[in-house]
Amino acid sequence: METKKENKVKTVMEAVAITLFYLLIQLAVSIIISLVVSLTMSVDNMDKEALLNSINAMQPLMLFISNLICTVLFGIWYYLGYVRKDKLAGTYEPWHEKMCDAKVIAFIVFSSLAIGLFDRHIADLIIMISPDSGELLSTIMLNVSEVTPMNITSMVILSAMATAFAFPGIIMQKFKKSFGMAACIIIPAILFVVLMLNPVQTIYGIPFGLVMMFISYKFNSVVPGMLVILINNIGAILLNQIFSPGLPPVVSACCVVIFLALSIFMYRKMPFSSKDTKDIPSQNE
């Protein structure tokens, strides 16, 4: 019979394996599309710079396909592993019944906006300290930051769904069987930032991941975590379109304080604010 310590080690190893599997899907899609681009290029254009430019131009398609695959695979995994079991056991509770309240929606929106704007201040600070990290981020985001139907679908919708199914969903569910609330939030949040693969997003992804995991844990559902990512990504697109290159730092800082205060106020109105909903066996949605 396994000891509690062995169960915890096994859970952590499984969570790491899921994270690596997520990365492997992205890597496999990138390699396959890169090979296709290389094989379809004419011999006359087969120089290193032209090849790299052609591969970089395919980056939006790479992300779209990898996010779509992750959404489908992890979504099915989450549904079969947890939601269906709850339905069969008669313990299923639809997400909309948990969130059909103006205070709940307001709490999620204000929390998402507060952490999203706060992360942008962290990103600016990191880039100021290390300009090379900013250049790396710009290179990575060069072809996927353009507002196109494919980028919006991939970077806003599919990435939110895939991430929520994998981290606040599958990984957090596994942790609830062996760990308390703190580990259920912190460890999946750390694994979440592994996906970033660049210093700027990795550092500011930690507080963002903690907020996303906390909200998902408290509502016992993947949907709030999904909404946190959606609101953050949509907000970033709107800010970049309306304010170029972005909100003035002072205005942004004031907005962080305002949204944070509003989210705390709304949180105090939540039914779980005065009690700890820990060790919940299933998220039910």
Side-chain angles (χ1 to χ4, degrees):
M1 183 176 179
E2 290 184 323
T3 64
K4 188 174 182 180
K5 183 176 180 180
E6 288 172 340
N7 286 333
K8 289 184 176 181
V9 172
K10 181 182 177 182
T11 300
V12 173
M13 295 303 294
E14 288 176 347
V16 172
I18 292 169
T19 305
L20 293 176
F21 180 52
Y22 197 118
L23 288 171
L24 182 62
I25 292 172
Q26 295 179 323
L27 178 62
V29 171
S30 298
I31 292 174
I32 292 171
I33 293 181
S34 297
L35 287 174
V36 171
V37 171
S38 301
L39 294 173
T40 54
M41 285 188 67
S42 64
V43 177
D44 296 336
N45 295 328
M46 188 60 74
D47 63 88
K48 184 177 180 181
E49 184 176 354
L51 178 60
L52 289 175
N53 289 337
S54 298
I55 292 174
N56 287 333
M58 298 299 292
Q59 190 177 6
L61 180 62
M62 294 177 186
L63 286 174
F64 177 83
I65 294 175
S66 61
N67 284 335
L68 179 61
I69 293 172
C70 287
T71 298
V72 173
L73 287 180
F74 289 112
I76 293 173
W77 184 348
Y78 178 73
Y79 177 82
L80 295 179
Y82 304 102
V83 176
R84 190 178 68 168
K85 287 184 178 179
D86 288 346
K87 288 183 176 181
L88 293 175
T91 59
Y92 176 75
E93 183 182 359
W95 64 270
H96 54 82
E97 292 184 2
K98 305 174 186 179
M99 300 176 59
C100 190
D101 187 296
K103 296 190 294 293
V104 171
I105 298 300
F107 167 67
I108 294 174
V109 171
F110 291 140
S111 299
S112 304
L113 294 175
I115 191 60
L117 290 172
F118 177 71
D119 277 353
R120 281 159 181 76
H121 286 278
I122 296 178
D124 291 341
L125 180 61
I126 297 169
I127 294 171
M128 185 184 302
I129 296 173
S130 176
D132 291 342
S133 63
E135 293 179 5
L136 175 60
L137 178 61
S138 297
T139 301
I140 294 173
M141 301 299 294
L142 179 63
N143 293 306
V144 297
S145 57
E146 185 180 354
V147 180
T148 65
M150 179 181 290
N151 284 340
I152 292 174
T153 303
S154 176
M155 302 297 290
V156 176
I157 300 174
L158 293 179
S159 64
M161 295 175 66
T163 301
F165 287 137
F167 293 90
I170 298 167
I171 291 178
M172 184 179 287
Q173 282 301 325
K174 290 182 176 293
F175 271 74
K176 283 182 177 179
K177 298 177 181 179
S178 305
F179 293 89
M181 176 180 174
C184 287
I185 293 171
I186 295 172
I187 300 178
I190 293 173
L191 292 174
F192 162 71
V193 302
V194 172
L195 300 179
M196 305 305 178
L197 298 179
N198 67 84
V200 177
Q201 289 181 305
T202 297
I203 294 174
Y204 77 60
I206 293 176
F208 181 87
L210 291 172
V211 170
M212 177 180 64
M213 301 301 171
F214 174 79
I215 292 176
S216 296
Y217 185 94
K218 282 295 186 178
F219 284 100
N220 196 30
S221 171
V222 299
V223 176
M226 198 179 294
L227 288 176
V228 171
I229 303 173
L230 280 169
I231 294 168
N232 178 71
N233 291 345
I234 293 172
I237 292 173
L238 291 176
L239 282 177
N240 290 334
Q241 293 297 309
I242 298 173
F243 302 96
S244 181
L247 281 176
V250 175
V251 176
S252 179
C254 291
C255 289
V256 171
V257 174
I258 293 171
F259 289 139
L260 179 61
L262 289 171
S263 64
I264 293 173
F265 174 77
M266 291 299 174
Y267 177 81
R268 295 174 66 87
K269 301 292 185 180
M270 300 294 102
F272 52 66
S273 61
S274 60
K275 60 182 179 180
D276 184 15
T277 55
K278 62 183 179 180
D279 298 328
I280 303 171
S282 177
Q283 288 186 321
N284 304 325
E285 180 56 65

